[in-house]
Amino acid sequence: MVLTKKNSISNPADNRNYGIDLLRLFAMFMVVILHTLGHGGVLNAATDEKSKLVWIFEIGAYCAVNCYAMISGYVSYSNKEKPYKYSKFVTMWLQVVFYSFGITVLWNYLGKVVVDANVIKNSLLPVSTSHYWYFSAYAGLFFMIPWINRFVRNISKNDMTRFVVVVFLVFSCYSNYCITKYGDVFKLGNGYTFVWLIIMYLIGAWLKKCEIPKKTKAVSAIVTLIICMTVTCLLKFFSLENKDFFVSYISPTVILMAICYVILFSKMKFNRFFNAIIKFFAPATFGVYLIHEQRLIRASCISNRFTWIADLSLKEIPVAIIGCVLLIFITCLVIEKIRMGIFSLLRINKMVEFVVFKLETGLKRLWLKIYRDKN
C-alpha cells in the first residue's frame, strides 16, 4: 500500500476510490494467473511438490472473479438514487463484439483457422452463445442493478448485514457442503452464473452501505486473508475425500478472501502520480479478459502452451508464472488502450449514448401514454 503525505494526496473533491480501481487491475491479473495455470496446462502437468507450489498460486488467485463482481456492487451502489445509464451495456456489448468478431475475422484472414458462417454468427451474438461466460452472466445482472440498489437502499444497515449473513450461510456454506454429497441444490453452477454475480454484487453493495472497510482494521483483513488461504491450501493438499471442497467460487474461504481484498484496497491512498496511472489503466481491465479469453486466442495461444513451466525447478516456477502472466496482462492492456483510443477518436461511445438516450425517451413517452390510457 502506498501511503502519501497530505500535501501530495489528490484533490479531496475527487471522490474516486483509486484503491478499488487498483483492485480491478489486481483482480484481472489474478484472472490471468487462473487461466495461465488452468487453460495453460500447468496444473495438470505439475507433480509432487511442484504441484503444491502451483496450486498455492491458483488458490491465491481464485477469489479474482468474486473480487471483480464485488467491485461492481461496491462502485455502483449509492445511498442516493442516480440515473442508470443503459448505454453502458451497449458500449460494453460493442467492446465484446469488437474482440469476439474482430479476432475471428483476423484469425481467418491470417489463415490460422478456417471460420465458417456459424462461427462468425456466434461471435456476433456473445450473450446468446456465451462466448464469454462472465459477460453473459453480467448481462443478466446489469438489467437488475437499479432494482437491487433500490432494495439495498430501502433497508436498514442492520437488516442488510443480517441479509448478507443469511445469504453467505445458505448459498456459500450450506451449498458448498451439499455439492459434495447431493449436488448443486441451488443451481449456482459453482459460481459461473448470473445468480452468483448477483450475490457477489449484493455483498459489494453491503460493504459500501454499511461502511465495512472503515470499520475493519487492515491487520484484521490481512490475518483473515492469510487464514482463509491457508485453510483452503491445507484442505486441497491433505483432504482424504474431496480435495477441491473449498477450491470454488462459492467456497466460504474464497468469498472471505475477496471481501478482505476489497477492504484492504479500499483503504489505500496514493499520490497524484499513481492516481493518474491507475485511472489511465483501470478502465482497460475488462479488455484484458476479452482478449486472452477469446476462444480462438485461448485455443491457439493459451491452451496447454505453458506446460513447460512444470518442468522448471521450484525456484524458477514462481518467476516463470509471474513473468508469463505479466506478459499476457500488459500485452492485452496495451491492445485494449489502443482500442479505447480508436473508439474515442470515432466518438462511438458518444453516439451510443445519444442513440440510447433517444430510445429511452421514446419508450418513456410510450409508457406514459399507455399508463394514461389505462387510467
Side-chain angles (χ1 to χ4, degrees):
M1 179 166 61
V2 181
L3 296 176
T4 60
K5 295 180 180 179
K6 288 184 179 180
N7 59 4
S8 64
I9 294 178
S10 59
N11 188 344
D14 184 0
N15 293 321
R16 190 184 187 103
N17 191 319
Y18 290 95
I20 293 296
D21 279 338
L22 181 61
L23 181 56
R24 289 185 195 273
L25 289 161
F26 182 66
M28 190 52 65
F29 183 81
M30 291 194 292
V31 167
V32 180
I33 289 178
L34 295 177
H35 294 159
T36 301
L37 299 181
H39 301 326
V42 185
L43 292 175
N44 290 331
T47 56
D48 301 325
E49 296 303 313
K50 293 180 182 179
S51 177
K52 290 181 180 179
L53 177 59
V54 171
W55 269 105
I56 288 174
F57 274 90
E58 178 80 359
I59 291 169
Y62 220 89
C63 64
V65 173
N66 288 349
C67 280
Y68 213 79
M70 282 184 197
I71 289 172
S72 295
Y74 191 89
V75 172
S76 298
Y77 173 77
S78 62
N79 291 326
K80 295 182 180 180
E81 190 166 359
K82 297 179 180 178
Y84 195 62
K85 293 185 178 180
Y86 290 95
S87 59
K88 288 183 179 179
F89 181 78
V90 180
T91 301
M92 186 180 288
W93 186 87
L94 288 174
Q95 178 189 7
V96 173
V97 170
F98 179 86
Y99 289 117
S100 62
F101 175 71
I103 293 174
T104 299
V105 173
L106 178 63
W107 247 230
N108 184 62
Y109 176 77
L110 295 176
K112 291 183 175 293
V113 65
V114 178
V115 178
D116 58 26
N118 191 52
V119 172
I120 293 177
K121 182 193 73 173
N122 289 345
S123 69
L124 287 169
L125 301 170
V127 176
S128 303
T129 60
S130 294
H131 195 98
Y132 299 97
W133 81 263
Y134 188 89
F135 180 62
S136 295
Y138 183 78
L141 166 63
F142 181 88
F143 293 98
M144 297 183 68
I145 286 176
W147 318 107
I148 295 173
N149 285 347
R150 185 171 295 180
F151 162 74
V152 176
R153 197 177 294 118
N154 290 333
I155 65 174
S156 68
K157 291 182 179 180
N158 287 337
D159 283 343
M160 185 63 196
T161 298
R162 285 196 287 268
F163 173 74
V164 168
V165 170
V166 170
V167 166
F168 177 75
L169 292 175
V170 173
F171 295 105
S172 176
C173 299
Y174 177 71
S175 181
N176 197 59
Y177 166 76
C178 285
I179 283 177
T180 62
K181 296 183 177 294
Y182 311 110
D184 189 3
V185 293
F186 296 119
K187 308 303 178 186
L188 296 175
N190 283 323
Y192 291 89
T193 63
F194 91 96
V195 174
W196 187 250
L197 293 194
I198 289 175
I199 292 172
M200 292 298 99
Y201 183 97
L202 282 164
I203 292 177
W206 164 71
L207 289 167
K208 179 79 165 289
K209 177 184 177 71
C210 298
E211 300 178 313
I212 302 301
K214 290 183 180 180
K215 298 174 182 177
T216 307
K217 293 182 179 180
V219 65
S220 299
I222 293 171
V223 170
T224 303
L225 180 63
I226 293 171
I227 291 173
C228 288
M229 184 172 172
T230 302
V231 169
T232 308
C233 287
L234 290 175
L235 288 171
K236 171 65 182 177
F237 300 151
F238 302 109
S239 175
L240 297 178
E241 297 181 2
N242 188 347
K243 291 184 177 295
D244 293 329
F245 182 48
F246 271 28
V247 185
S248 165
Y249 292 153
I250 70 172
S251 161
T253 54
V254 172
I255 294 172
L256 289 174
M257 286 168 64
I259 291 174
C260 289
Y261 275 125
V262 174
I263 291 171
L264 289 170
F265 276 82
S266 68
K267 290 176 174 290
M268 294 183 180
K269 304 294 180 185
F270 311 94
N271 59 33
R272 288 188 180 89
F273 175 73
F274 282 104
N275 282 349
I277 293 176
I278 293 169
K279 188 176 181 178
F280 180 77
F281 285 109
T285 53
F286 190 56
V288 174
Y289 166 72
L290 296 177
I291 295 168
H292 85 277
E293 266 295 277
Q294 206 276 353
R295 290 176 180 176
L296 298 177
I297 292 289
R298 186 209 290 183
S300 59
C301 303
I302 305 292
S303 295
N304 295 318
R305 296 289 183 175
F306 297 94
T307 54
W308 55 270
I309 291 178
D311 297 326
L312 301 175
S313 67
L314 286 173
K315 293 181 180 179
E316 294 171 329
I317 286 176
V319 177
I321 291 173
I322 299 300
C324 291
V325 171
L326 268 176
L327 180 61
I328 296 170
F329 183 78
I330 293 173
T331 301
C332 294
L333 204 62
V334 171
I335 293 171
E336 171 59 7
K337 288 302 296 183
I338 294 172
R339 196 277 312 168
M340 290 173 67
I342 294 171
F343 272 44
S344 178
L345 188 65
L346 298 176
R347 300 180 65 83
I348 290 176
N349 292 354
K350 293 292 184 183
M351 287 189 287
V352 168
E353 288 180 8
F354 176 77
V355 172
V356 173
F357 173 76
K358 289 295 184 182
L359 286 172
E360 286 181 353
T361 302
L363 288 172
K364 285 178 182 177
R365 288 175 180 172
L366 179 61
W367 171 256
L368 288 173
K369 186 176 184 300
I370 294 172
Y371 181 77
R372 287 168 183 166
D373 289 344
K374 286 186 176 181
N375 292 277

